[in-house]
Amino acid sequence: MSVNYYAFGLFPGGQADGGGLHIGQSVAGQRFLFRAHPDQGLTTLADWLAFLGRPGTTIRSENGREVAALEMQETMTATTDRQGLPLRPRFQRSNQDRYLTSAGHAFNRRAFH
């Protein structure tokens, strides 16, 4: 089962009628996959944390549930599941569409859902 997360606010892509700005996706058993938005400077975990912590920014899951910034941070940085089992990386190697940061966070440059 996967869950996509979106940011809403007064920034490009943040309008509710446009579906919000895609943050990324969690999948059972795997680490979080971030959506990179280089045009907005969102290419690392630190970028996303600062962005999501801005006043007026809200986070929602694809089913419409509002998510607190701290809960989103925990989801994005989790390395183990609720039972303490390690989460698998999304991929091992970078390519033209995806990359790993030095901290091991997976990013995809292209849109996905």
Side-chain angles (χ1 to χ4, degrees):
M1 181 169 118
S2 67
V3 178
N4 286 281
Y5 296 89
Y6 300 88
F8 296 88
L10 298 176
F11 45 82
Q15 297 73 33
D17 60 351
L21 184 67
H22 193 204
I23 301 166
Q25 181 186 70
S26 66
V27 173
Q30 297 183 345
R31 293 186 70 182
F32 193 80
L33 176 59
F34 292 86
R35 171 65 164 92
H37 295 278
D39 57 324
Q40 295 194 43
L42 299 170
T43 60
T44 67
L45 171 64
D47 297 336
W48 269 114
L49 292 176
F51 183 85
L52 296 173
R54 297 185 334 188
T57 300
T58 59
I59 304 163
R60 285 188 224 132
S61 66
E62 64 187 317
N63 63 8
R65 183 178 72 86
E66 193 159 320
V67 178
L70 182 57
E71 180 184 346
M72 189 74 242
Q73 179 179 346
E74 291 169 354
T75 298
M76 294 187 306
T77 60
T79 57
T80 60
D81 66 14
R82 292 180 184 158
Q83 290 76 36
L85 298 172
L87 296 173
R88 295 182 314 275
R90 286 297 185 103
F91 48 82
Q92 300 293 324
R93 294 186 185 101
S94 298
N95 66 27
Q96 68 183 24
D97 295 330
R98 61 188 191 195
Y99 62 92
L100 293 169
T101 65
S102 59
H105 300 288
F107 278 78
N108 197 327
R109 292 180 182 95
R110 293 188 183 261
F112 65 92
H113 297 283

